[in-house]
Amino acid sequence: MNILIKGIQLNNQISDIYIENNIIKTISSPVESIENVPDTVIDGTDKAVIPGLVNMHTHAAMTLFRGYADDMPLTPWLEQKIWPREKKLTENDVYWGAKLACLEMIKSGTTTFFDMYYHFDATAQAVLETGLRAFLSEACFDFFQSDLTEQSKKRIAQGYEKFLENTDYQSKNTISYAIGPHAVYTVSGGLLQWASDFAKDNHLLIQTHLAETEGEVANCIRQFGTTPVRYLKQLGILSPNLVLAHAIYVDDEEIRILADSGVSVVHNPASNMKLASGERFQFREMKSAGVKVALGTDGCASSNNLDMIEAMKLAALLGKVWRRDPEALTCNEMLEATTLTAGEILHQNIGVIQEGMQADLCLIDLKTPAFTPNHNFVSNLVYAANGNCVDTVICNGRILMQDKKVPDEDGILENAARQAFDLVGR
């Protein structure tokens, strides 16, 4: 599909953007010549364009648990509420939970997400149907039991082989396979090492939760004699293909270790605050040391929504308040973390609007109170707006939402709600 966006605000200038297939072909004011007549022309009047947002850490199908178990600490929340229900998850549950998540992400401007959950194919099917770009890692646990370790290895290896054989996944080229060992307290060192080696051998990304709570760090020291980052270093799995979710409780030396190893980190401000995991995420120190830092929402059971525009605001405000420094984090840094930096971590040609880049774009409705007056567009986007300001979403050159409407919204909402109540009632 070839798309022409006419008269759109880009970097405080009015431009025309021509998309050919899935690539940004031309940016000019106006487009001087087009080789092919566009299939679709979008009027950009009173709209601005930004790169598609990237949610670098979530558990998509946990939309089914939205509002189910709130106002609890992390450990009892997991052990008493979430894990018992997740044992009953079916592929159909995950499909509808992921379909709802995809709808919510499209509605709020996310075009790419990095997921960790069960039933890879169910989530992948939802992604294919809605048109998003996704890195999907099936969560693995072995709870330090050798039989579960072998089962996890087998499932990952077979899952990747099945992924490579799936012509839909390969032809669409918008789904990537990744590995998701849950955490150091649920996954043995042997399985972590195996997963890391498998990921390196197959050029895959690997994501795990790390140093999310003080309790996790204390337990790690008791069990392994050192802190989580140092434990991973001892295991030999720190590498540029490793992405750490949370990493709140790390010291200066550990930040240097992460930077020297090329490890990336995802800050999840909503989840961290809601579960009271901790507020002192060291964004500035990590970035200064050379660690790539992106943003995520975490799953809807702990963050309650998948709104990356809200996540940018929360990250900026949280970083300011614990430092007592209004200059600590800026709106521009947050937008960069959610676009360009995330694209670099994922090794994707996304995150910036330039000729030759993948056509992942969001059109923002400027005719709203949040953008009135519009002294500073990025400031208004991060501090004043939320996901409701997104008017049109294009991913991989395909229009997923236009005029704030996504195909079959009502059907997705109805089926997902029915599936959620059925799940928690089992």
Side-chain angles (χ1 to χ4, degrees):
M1 174 181 284
N2 299 330
I3 302 169
L4 176 61
I5 305 172
K6 291 187 64 63
I8 191 80
Q9 179 179 305
L10 170 62
N11 300 327
N12 297 315
Q13 295 183 340
I14 300 301
S15 300
D16 289 359
I17 300 174
Y18 181 62
I19 297 167
E20 190 170 278
N21 297 320
N22 63 341
I23 301 296
I24 299 172
K25 183 75 171 179
T26 307
I27 301 174
S28 62
S29 182
V31 170
E32 296 176 358
S33 63
I34 300 174
E35 294 181 6
N36 301 312
V37 176
D39 301 298
T40 301
V41 177
I42 297 175
D43 183 2
T45 303
D46 294 324
K47 296 180 180 66
V49 63
I50 62 170
L53 304 177
V54 182
N55 188 342
M56 277 294 292
H57 178 67
T58 192
H59 314 286
M62 292 187 83
T63 52
L64 300 183
F65 297 116
R66 191 195 325 263
Y68 168 68
D70 285 339
D71 306 324
M72 296 180 66
L74 176 61
T75 299
W77 173 77
L78 283 172
E79 294 178 350
Q80 298 170 23
K81 294 292 185 178
I82 301 303
W83 287 345
R85 285 290 173 265
E86 286 183 330
K87 288 180 180 179
K88 301 181 179 182
L89 279 170
T90 66
E91 285 202 17
N92 201 43
D93 294 328
V94 173
Y95 167 76
W96 282 112
K99 196 79 175 283
L100 175 61
C102 290
L103 171 63
E104 183 174 353
M105 285 188 273
I106 292 169
K107 297 281 283 185
S108 53
T110 290
T111 53
T112 301
F113 68 102
F114 196 164
D115 199 53
M116 179 197 292
Y117 214 53
Y118 310 98
H119 298 298
F120 179 100
D121 289 324
T123 302
Q125 186 60 37
V127 172
L128 287 176
E129 290 174 1
T130 54
L132 287 172
R133 192 185 305 278
F135 282 69
L136 306 181
S137 56
E138 186 160 350
C140 63
F141 305 73
D142 67 357
F143 297 101
F144 304 89
Q145 300 174 33
S146 58
D147 58 330
L148 295 181
T149 302
E150 296 308 311
Q151 289 177 26
S152 292
K153 292 178 182 178
K154 183 177 180 180
R155 187 175 69 252
I156 291 169
Q158 290 181 343
Y160 183 53
E161 183 177 355
K162 185 178 178 182
F163 168 79
L164 292 177
E165 294 172 350
N166 189 303
T167 55
D168 283 341
Y169 300 160
Q170 303 309 316
S171 64
K172 296 293 185 182
N173 199 32
T174 53
I175 295 178
S176 299
Y177 193 91
I179 303 177
H182 176 259
V184 297
Y185 56 88
T186 53
V187 181
S188 67
L191 181 54
L192 285 168
Q193 289 174 319
W194 181 91
S196 178
D197 290 342
F198 187 90
K200 291 173 186 175
D201 290 343
N202 293 284
H203 308 289
L204 305 175
L205 291 178
I206 182 169
Q207 182 171 187
T208 189
H209 303 88
L210 198 83
E212 184 175 358
T213 66
E214 290 177 298
E216 177 194 332
V217 175
N219 289 335
C220 186
I221 293 171
R222 279 195 295 270
Q223 187 171 3
F224 306 116
T226 190
T227 59
V229 170
R230 293 180 178 90
Y231 174 58
L232 293 189
K233 183 180 179 182
Q234 290 177 4
L235 293 176
I237 70 172
L238 296 179
S239 71
N241 69 333
L242 177 63
V243 180
L244 302 179
H246 300 292
I248 304 171
Y249 296 96
V250 295
D251 59 34
D252 292 344
E253 183 183 40
E254 289 175 306
I255 290 174
R256 288 195 297 273
I257 291 171
L258 296 178
D260 291 343
S261 303
V263 176
S264 301
V265 172
V266 183
H267 179 31
N268 303 279
S271 176
N272 292 346
M273 288 192 287
K274 182 163 176 277
L275 293 172
S277 300
E279 77 285 357
R280 299 172 74 89
F281 180 80
Q282 298 178 79
F283 191 106
R284 188 163 65 187
E285 288 80 0
M286 290 187 187
K287 185 178 178 182
S288 296
V291 178
K292 286 186 171 66
V293 184
L295 301 182
T297 60
D298 215 333
C300 274
S302 62
S303 70
N304 292 71
N305 70 38
L306 301 172
D307 188 339
M308 287 303 298
I309 295 178
E310 177 183 275
M312 288 191 286
K313 178 176 182 176
L314 293 176
L317 299 189
L318 189 60
K320 295 172 188 290
V321 72
W322 75 259
R323 294 177 181 279
R324 308 291 196 271
D325 180 4
E327 297 178 303
L329 298 179
T330 69
C331 56
N332 287 293
E333 284 181 296
M334 297 301 97
L335 183 58
E336 181 180 271
T338 313
T339 53
L340 179 60
T341 302
E344 291 173 346
I345 295 170
L346 296 174
H347 306 292
Q348 295 289 297
N349 203 25
I350 59 174
V352 63
I353 301 175
Q354 292 178 354
E355 294 178 358
M357 298 293 284
Q358 295 273 3
D360 290 12
L361 310 173
C362 295
L363 275 58
I364 305 299
D365 182 6
L366 298 178
K367 297 292 284 185
T368 66
F371 291 95
T372 306
N374 199 13
H375 296 302
N376 183 316
F377 169 72
V378 176
S379 175
N380 283 345
L381 178 70
V382 173
Y383 295 134
N386 57 40
N388 292 330
C389 72
V390 179
D391 177 87
T392 298
V393 172
I394 299 170
C395 181
N396 203 38
R398 174 184 169 190
I399 299 173
L400 309 187
M401 177 173 76
Q402 191 167 8
D403 299 326
K404 302 190 178 184
K405 294 295 182 183
V406 177
D408 195 31
E409 284 187 40
D410 292 341
I412 295 172
L413 295 174
E414 181 179 341
N415 282 287
R418 183 184 303 114
Q419 203 69 32
F421 284 115
D422 178 74
L423 171 61
V424 299
R426 287 175 203 158

